[in-house]
Amino acid sequence: MSLALIAALPFLGALLPGLMIRAGRNACAAATGAVTLLALILLALQAPAVLRGEIVQTRIEWLPALGLNANFFLDGLGLMFAGLILGIGLLIILYARFYLAKSDPMGQFFTYLLLFQGAMVGIVLSDNILLLLVFWELTSLSSFLLIGYWKHLPEGRQGARMALAVTGGGGLAMIAGMLILGNIAGSYDLTVILQNKEAIQASPHYLPALILILLGAFTKSAQFPFHFWLPHAMAAPTPVSAYLHSATMVKAGIFLMARMWPVLSGTFEWFVIVASAGLITMVMAAKIALFKDDLKALLAFSTVSHLGLITMLLGFGTPEAATVAIFHILNHAAFKAALFMTAGIVDHEAHTRDLKRLGGLRRLMPVTFAIAAIASLSMAGIPPLNGFLSKEMMLEEAAHVAWPNAWLVGVLATIGALFSVAYSFRFLAHGFLGPVRDDYPHKPHDPGFGLWAAPALLAVLVVLVGLMPNTMIGWLLNPAASATTGRGIFTNIYHWHGLQAAALWMSVAAIGGGLVLLGAYPRLRSLWDATPRPEAKRIFDGLIEPLADAARQVTDSLHNGRFSRSMVVAVVGIGVLATLAFLTATPHAPGTRPILPVDPLVLCLWLVLVVAAFAVPFLHRNRLVALLLTGVVGLLIAPMFAMFSAPDLALTQLSVEVVTLLLMLLALNFLPKETPVESRLPRRLRDAAVAGMAGLGIGGLAYAMMTRQPAFDRISAFHWAQSKPGAGGTNAVNTIIVDFRGYDTYGEIIVLGIAALVIYALSEALLRNPAVTARLASLPKEREAGDRHPMMLVVATRLLLPMAMMVGVYIYLRGHNMPGGGFVSGLVFAIAYLMQYMASGYDWSHARQRYDHHALIGWGVLVASLSGVGAWAFGLPFLTSGFEYVHLWPLEEFELATAAIFDLGVFLCVLGAILLALASLSRLALRTGEGPNTTAHDLEETR
Amino acid sequence: MTPALDMALDLFLSSILVGGGIFALVGSYGLLRLPRPMQRLHAPTKATTIGVGAALLVSALDLLGQGQVSWQELLITVFLLLTAPVSALFLAKTLILRGEADPDIPDSGTGKPWATLAPERHDS
Amino acid sequence: MILPYALLFFLGCLTLAFALNLWRLFSAPTLTDRVVVLDTMTINAIALVVLYGIWAGTGLYLEVAVLFALTSFVGTVAYCKFLLRGNIIE
Amino acid sequence: MEALLASAIGLLAAVGIYLTLRLRTFPVILGLTFLSYAVNLFLFTAGRLAVNAAPIVGTTDAPADPLPQALVLTAIVISFGMTAVIMIMAIGGHLQAGHDRIDLDEDKA
Amino acid sequence: MRRLFPHPYLSLTLIVMWFLLVNQWKLGSLVMAIILATIIPLATSAWWPDRPRVKRPFALAAYAILVLWDVIVANFQVARIVLFMPRDRIRSAWITVPLDLTSPEAISLLAGTITMTPGTLTSDMSACGRALLVHALHAPDPDAVRDQIKARYEARLKRIFE
Amino acid sequence: MNHWIIAPVVLPAFVAALMVLTLRGHLALQRIASLAAIIALNAIAVALLWSATMHGPEAYFLGDWPAPFGISLVLDRLSAMMVALLAVLALITTLYAIGSGWDAKGAHFHPLLQFLLMGVGGAFLTGDAFNLFVFFEVLLIASYGLMIHGGGDRRTRAGIQYIAFNLVGSSLFLFALALLYGVAGTLNMADLAAKLPGLPAGDAALLRVAAVMLILVFAIKGALVPLQFWLPGTYANAPGVVAALFAIMTKVGAYATLRFVTLVFPTDLPATGTLIPAFLLPAALVTLAIGALGILGATTLPRLAAFAAIASMGTAFLAIAHMTPRGTSAALYYILHSTLATALIFLVADLVSRRRAHLRLDAPAPVAQNGLIAALYLASAVALAGMPPLSGFIGKLLILDAWRDQAFAIWPAVLVSSFLMLLGLSRAGSLLFWKPSESEAVADPAPQEPLAVTAAFALFAALIALTLAAGPVTGWLDGTAASLHDPAAYIGANRLEVAP
Ligand code: NA
Ligand code: NA
């Protein structure tokens, strides 16, 4: 439990800074520090056991199905790293408290910092590689926030994004690698994986897993060729740099290589990839560091170089080299954190980090100088400081590598060390030595204790470890190294290896060469400045921006709002897939069903229908003609239905068609009456080809289906058989609609109701838009007839309206047994009302109407719902209907069916929906400049 | 029914149908043959109505012959008689307004113009 | 029994009438003419439905004809109203 | 007879699709209407064709399949509602944008 | 009574119509017809505010028979003109028919009659409603047609309604 | 008979009808009614979830007609889960709509919302193929209304395209249903599952066409390539809160696909075999790629969110295409996650839109309440990119794990697209929240809408809960997936009878 708590504490504590900042900056920092300290104490409590060689474990099930569990373990390596992260974290918090300006939001800073700390601790304590991945990506995210902390700096944003892109991307590769690894080992638990070296290295998936995992590690640790992000991350506030880029985040990759060392190292692939990447990084970054003027940039490249060094050591694959690597991790963390903090102090005091504008600080800031001197000498590998010890051991290891030949690695390592000496001295010489200047942006002096306390403590450690390595650090180094190498070897660290040690001469060469290099610095510098170099930011931008542009082009050209093109793609896509499905099947068996002889009536209808439909594409530009032709087609489909034994369909099609036509005519009043020619002939031909193919396919399918005898009994046999006895009606179509499948109808009338609500809502929105009302008032008008409501129509309607309603009632009542029903009845009523509206105008007619359209819809849905819910009272399901034959004098025997109530709901909903839609359109029409109508017909007023 | 009566009915119905068919055709033929738009309006309003009427009559009588009384035919006829003049009026008005009718429209003699061509009335 | 032949004759006339209608629909010089054609066609369609009823010996389709009569009127008036006033419901 | 109906369905569908590929809202809506004609007939044919066999108990012993008829009824109603909505949307689009083009210029978003 | 049956003739018509629709002569149908013929005119009376006076209902029936006969005759005449008369010999004419009728129902009935009878078609009405514009398909003597309309139809309608 | 099964359909319909009838013009009362109904829906959903887990699939025979003749609803673990997801999302988005005042910007917001819930709930619960069509239409038409809520030029015109595209989809649905009925003579999904294995080989070609068409219909809803074109314009132009609610609508497509490929067209059905996964897999991969590229190339935040929705659908379909319990379980988890995550980013986009002069990602404008909104954005971005620690990472791991047998083909696609999303989301975030105003303009005063912000945080909290509870959730989902791939209990619940 306690290990999980150590990892969780920073996350839980991340809530504190935001709350405590209200109590002041000290409280905020103190709370943050307390959280870290508590975690450190908890860690320390575990330390004795670990140092005894035990492994502390905590296992919490999270996602057992996948093998992702919150399993933690603590061994020497983990202890060392966790201690480093929390210990240096504590110092950084102290430092940041004094470093951050009053205007900087400190709460946010410490929140991010604790998130980051938690993620780092999580990485080093994870006993589950999937869990490790979670923390791994969390470090990417939280460092993104930290690097971009100063939002106003464009470099900060850039650097943060670059860091996230590189480390996050590497993390994604690592996900794949880890999954492969877990699959080979049969578990995602590290403790299990670490037992499976042979199986893993023998697996054919070893190399891909290795490469993918190393991608994650290299990107995180800024190894060549992924080193470019680190310097740009220096835009972060210095405490961030000091923390992330010396002790923690960049070490995460190193940690991972060390952690995986027992199972992944020792192969030729490992050696070649890891050692070469490390070596190249070490030399190249050290060279660049020499020419950086920004203190932090110099330190950043130096960090890259040192990480390369460590990587190289791990890559050698020998336990000895790995031990040296672990040792150097500790050393580097100490001196580099101190150096970053001094750089921060300089920046804080002198308001610049530019070496060209500095110099002479030795006198102005003696304390800072002392710290800087110790740390940078250690970085240069000057005895007896701790950096010397590990560098000496590194050179020794390098000297013994015999691939690709006996000396190349050694020489290169020496050159790296040489550059290291040079830039370390340059840091010191150009920053602190020399005469005091009078043109600092700000007159510097030593800061308060709070700011230098942390680096000073680190400097002391640098010295002490350098002097008494075994006492100071051996207790930690040995368990850590043996955890890495998997053997209990205990190294004794010596300052002196004897004259015959290759490292001695390499070291001497490095220091000497480094000093020579520094002496020749001005000349080298002009040479460097003259050499064109690839600039990381530009390359990164050159990759990302075109990528984003390309992405934008791809997506925008695909999703450019062109409806017809997306439609063509969709139709062709559907057609191709359907055709493929058809062609790849067992061949379709031609139909066996007897073909119906051609009925001359149908032939007649068919001829008219086909000609009218075929003409539409040619004549559609005149919209009224197109509408006429559509009307012809739609109206002819009705008798077609009738002739194929579907009278209900004929009635419905007919009445729907008329209402549709009226709606379209109403709409056409607001739209242009002509469609301009906008697509060229080839496009039209293409469209015609697409449409023709689709039509051919659909027609073919219809034919294939119609001519085939159904393979099984159809469920409609039940409907037919039960229509009268079960549902109490002789019209099987109607009993299906109101009873067997009444639930479909329930949904269908709600669709209609919603349609009307939508129409109403949109017309409301339109009417509230002044631009729309202005446009309505200025719609182009053709010459209009002088009479709006011709008397003859009004008089005819006075008769036709009641008659139509009579027909409607009739159709409603007979529906259950004969063609008809609530839906058609509603439509007939609607048509009757439409006639009335056409005759006397909407206003006049509506003013005499006693109910509201919304209410009709509401009642319709309610009545239909209630008729369904009523069945619950009898313990029966929704929409269960009952019917009873009632004899009530003087009425003849009639049937009382609850389905009729449902049908009434249908009727109301349909009527209400159509009327509401009409009302909405009429309200729009009112704004076209015509006043409301106050008389039944035109003559009423004149006579 | 006796065979003779049956035969007579058959003959009678057939002749009505033949007549009706001819009228239906004449209505549509008139649309093509008559040269001026107003003239063309006469054909469908009358001839076609008679054609439908014949079919309706036969339908009613035929069902009657089978022993079913069917009155809906009468209803359809009433509907057609009620509506055809209004349709025709509106078609004529459309022709007049759009200048497609014969241009020599006489004065109304009442001092007011024909309604279609009257200046628009504006309600308050 | 010559009724079936009479029916066929009627149907032939109707088919021919429809053909003439269609011809007119495409060749009509004015929009109004096209509306006239539509009106004629719907009435012919009513005849066709009634005819089918006789053919099938059932009164089941007469409602279709009733509705047709009602709707053909509404349709024609609506088209004319559109041409006359632009707005069919004022 | 099956071939007649199948060819009519195919033609209606083709006309519908051709019109939906136009650039203005009105023809597109007409196209969708045509498409719905084709769909409704197609759905209807799933019950196979039958003449003089309206599915009304007492009038026939071998009725046409009533179920597809009921389904088509539902489909007709629904497509009516949809047509009404898209129609008012077309009006709204035209009144607000001043034109009735169906395409949007996404880059000007 | 007047409240309950705002348009008694309409109610009667609806009762008849119900029987036409239901196709059966039963007491139950009559009850239903009466109920509907009461409710529907009541529900729609707001849209038919004034009540036309029919003085001679039986004369109206006679008028209907007369018109029906004329309709049949008219169709033969029109058919003859359409089929056989050379196009250049068709003498179409506009006819103004001044109206003595004032009731909207009567005028509408007259206009409808004109349309359904021999070769004439009501094409418009004056803005004041005091004249009808009639188109004659073939009228070598337009005045005669006008006089016939006034004598044969308008006079009868005047007697029935006013 | 468990009447609660129909409650997710009837309750919203009732409430909507009452609102239309009596509460028009009373926004405050509508809000209360709407919220009360949604809270009740949540309670019902929990009860249904419990019932489905405890008792297995249960059918509800509407009209008391036996299956397959009437319509039956079937409550199983999957439908219960989807209803619960719907209820949670509805609650949060409704709170947001009220808090942000979106519901006052036009008529009938709450009735339309309730009808949408009815439609979606009905689609999840139905056991009948044609009824699924009907409820698709219910939810679609309600969505049209919500999409153009408040009006506006671009929104309306985008709405036209949305409707037109979906109308074509509805046509396709009917073609497919007609073929299904024409071939098999039944519409009940369980009955189809029972009958189709016995279909004569001569009908196989027609059935395959029907199957492909049906899945393509669902692909339209699910925005699967090449039928995704409607989504960016629709979602980017819809009101933010509506777009958030629409996160469930694409999932309807995923749900229906899952239902049909496990129940009606399983891979062991001779006629269809592996036809469906054969095209689902490449389509899913391309969809994912399009979504990822879209995120990277997006010029506005709503458009970015829309492409995030596409990418999430690509991922979900990728999991579905695996056609095994393992893949299905991953798909279900990802559906839960991506619904919440997509909704969150749309809410964030809406929050930003009311705190920033414009939503373009290439020009600076300050955002009021920067930290708060940025935190929410970060959460949504982390979730959508599939970064730890939020549930997207777990979902992605589950999918990668399911596809490990074809890792070389699938993993790179998933990981590379994740990388692109990471790039795009971080780029957008830094431009939105870090890019300072060069004109030194001050952010508009932040609208005081604590309820809206709380609603967004509730989504965040839901994502965290889904992450922390990943173990029990996936455990439950494994059971659900297993029952989906062994549909005997589902079919049995329908108590199918044979026609007379
Ligand atoms: Na029932
Ligand atoms: Na339609």
Side-chain angles (χ1 to χ4, degrees), chain A residues 559-564 567-568 593 595-599 602-603 606 609-610 613-614 616-617 620 623 626-627 630 633-634 637 640-641 643-649 652-653 656-657 659-660 663-664 667-668 670-672 675-676 678-679 683-684 687-688 691 694-695 698-699 701-703 705-706 708-710 714-716 719-720 730-733 736-737 741 748 752 755 758-759 762 766 769 772 775-776 817-819 823 914 921 924, chain D residues 1-30 32-35 37-38 40-107:
Chain A
H559 306 87
N560 56 358
R562 298 283 149 79
F563 176 74
S564 52
M567 206 68 208
V568 166
R593 198 182 155 82
I595 303 274
L596 284 181
V598 171
D599 188 321
V602 176
L603 185 64
W606 179 84
L609 193 109
V610 164
F614 195 71
V616 175
H620 77 90
R623 291 180 175 183
L627 204 51
T630 312
V633 171
I637 287 175
M640 198 86 136
F641 279 136
M643 284 165 198
F644 288 114
S645 311
D648 278 283
L649 280 183
T652 311
Q653 170 73 21
V656 165
E657 199 56 43
V659 178
T660 308
L663 276 177
M664 288 202 172
L668 196 53
F670 302 102
L671 295 172
T675 303
E678 285 173 324
S679 40
R683 229 201 85 142
R684 295 207 296 272
D687 292 350
I698 290 166
L701 277 179
Y703 186 80
M705 176 173 65
M706 266 188 284
R708 252 191 93 74
Q709 195 69 39
R714 342 203 90 206
I715 53 172
S716 50
H719 303 141
W720 176 250
T730 57
N731 181 357
V733 176
I736 291 176
I737 282 176
R741 296 187 69 91
E748 160 202 332
L752 263 193
V758 172
I759 291 172
L762 181 59
L766 289 176
N769 181 342
V772 167
R775 192 164 278 132
L776 273 174
N817 292 314
M818 283 286 156
F823 184 77
I914 295 175
L921 280 170
L924 281 182
Chain D
M1 207 101 102
E2 279 79 359
L4 286 186
L5 205 56
S7 58
I9 291 170
L11 177 68
L12 290 171
V15 170
I17 289 171
Y18 179 80
L19 289 179
T20 50
L21 299 179
R22 300 303 94 210
L23 299 172
R24 301 283 174 152
T25 51
F26 193 81
V28 170
I29 294 172
L30 282 191
L32 292 169
T33 309
F34 269 88
L35 201 54
Y37 293 153
N40 292 341
L41 283 171
F42 189 92
L43 185 54
F44 179 67
T45 60
R48 311 298 190 266
L49 299 186
V51 173
N52 206 9
I56 290 169
V57 178
T59 64
T60 178
D61 290 327
D65 191 338
L67 185 54
Q69 296 192 16
L71 302 185
V72 174
L73 271 179
T74 303
I76 290 178
V77 177
I78 287 176
S79 86
F80 165 70
M82 297 290 170
T83 308
V85 168
I86 196 172
M87 206 75 224
I88 179 96
M89 301 264 287
I91 297 174
H94 179 241
L95 290 179
Q96 291 176 104
H99 61 81
D100 67 340
R101 277 191 282 279
I102 196 158
D103 288 350
L104 288 167
D105 298 318
E106 278 301 337
D107 38 333

Side-chain angles (χ1 to χ4, degrees), chain A residues 783-788 938 941-942, chain B residues 97 111-123, chain C residues 85, chain E residues 126-128:
Chain A
R783 179 151 193 239
E784 290 180 348
D787 49 348
R788 296 164 72 178
D938 295 323
E941 193 168 80
T942 52
Chain B
L97 177 78
K112 294 270 178 169
W114 297 113
T116 308
L117 300 173
E120 187 165 356
R121 208 162 49 89
H122 281 285
D123 293 312
Chain C
R85 299 275 311 164
Chain E
S126 74
C128 58

Side-chain angles (χ1 to χ4, degrees), chain A residues 62-66 68 130 133-134 137-138 141 144-145 148 151-152 157 160-161 164-165 168-169 172 175-176 179-180 183 188 205 208 544-545 547-548 551-552 554-556 558-559 561-563 566-567 569-570 573-574 577-578 581-582 584-589 698 701 704-705 708 710-719 721-722 726-727 739-741 743-744 746-748 750-751 754-755 757-758 760-762 764-765 768 852 854-855 858-859 861-862 865-866 869 872 875-880, chain F residues 1 3 6 9-10 13-14 17-18 20-21 24 60-65 68-71 73 105-108 112 115 118 128 130-131 134-135 137-138 141-142 145 148 161 164-165 168 172 175 178-179 181-182 184-187 195 198-203 205-206 208-209 212-213 216 226-229 232 275 279 290 293-294 296-297 299 303 307 378 382 387-389 393-394 397-398 400-401 404 408 411 415 418-420 422-423 426-427 430 433-436 467-468 470-471 474 478 500:
Chain A
W62 182 8
L63 186 45
L66 187 65
L68 163 56
L130 298 181
L133 284 174
V134 171
E137 294 289 51
L138 266 179
L141 281 173
F144 173 73
L145 296 173
K151 304 179 177 67
H152 53 276
R157 296 195 304 270
R161 272 171 56 200
L164 181 65
L172 288 167
I175 292 178
L179 284 175
I180 298 175
N183 276 319
Y188 292 117
H205 301 311
I544 298 300
E545 282 311 312
L547 186 61
R552 182 171 312 129
V554 169
T555 46
D556 283 359
L558 280 178
H559 306 87
R562 298 283 149 79
F563 176 74
S566 45
M567 206 68 208
V569 175
I574 293 165
L577 283 176
F582 191 89
T584 53
T586 320
H588 174 75
I698 290 166
L701 277 179
M705 176 173 65
R708 252 191 93 74
F712 311 119
D713 291 334
R714 342 203 90 206
I715 53 172
S716 50
F718 177 90
H719 303 141
Q722 285 294 317
D739 203 334
F740 298 113
R741 296 187 69 91
Y743 185 58
D744 275 347
Y746 184 62
E748 160 202 332
I750 284 177
V751 167
I754 301 171
L757 296 186
V758 172
Y760 173 81
L762 181 59
E764 278 283 298
R768 269 183 310 178
D852 179 83
H854 276 104
W859 276 117
V861 175
L862 270 188
S865 305
L866 284 170
V869 170
W872 289 350
L876 291 166
F878 189 66
L879 288 177
T880 307
Chain F
M1 187 78 68
H3 292 297
I6 188 96
V9 177
V10 176
F14 240 101
L18 278 175
V20 170
L21 197 57
R24 263 183 307 125
Y60 185 77
F61 302 102
L62 285 154
D64 211 19
W65 296 109
F69 312 117
I71 295 172
L73 302 188
K105 289 192 181 165
H108 290 322
L112 288 173
F115 278 132
M118 174 206 173
D128 185 280
F130 190 82
N131 191 248
V134 172
F135 277 84
E137 301 302 302
V138 173
I141 199 157
I148 54 162
Q161 290 200 5
F165 216 91
V168 174
L172 191 64
F175 280 129
L179 281 172
Y181 181 78
T186 186
L187 294 167
K195 279 182 175 158
L199 195 73
D203 281 320
L206 287 180
R208 282 164 71 90
V209 175
V212 164
M213 284 181 160
L216 285 173
L227 302 169
Q228 86 293 3
F229 294 105
L275 173 70
F279 76 81
I290 294 259
L293 285 175
L296 184 57
T299 44
R303 218 164 139 78
F307 280 102
L378 180 73
V382 165
M387 295 280 283
F393 178 69
I394 292 170
L397 277 185
L398 287 167
L400 291 176
D401 187 55
R404 63 181 166 203
F408 285 95
W411 287 11
L415 294 171
S418 284
F419 180 62
L420 295 179
L422 186 65
L423 287 183
S426 61
R427 183 171 164 275
S430 68
F433 299 105
W434 284 354
K435 192 136 187 172
T467 311
L468 292 179
T474 50
D478 283 344

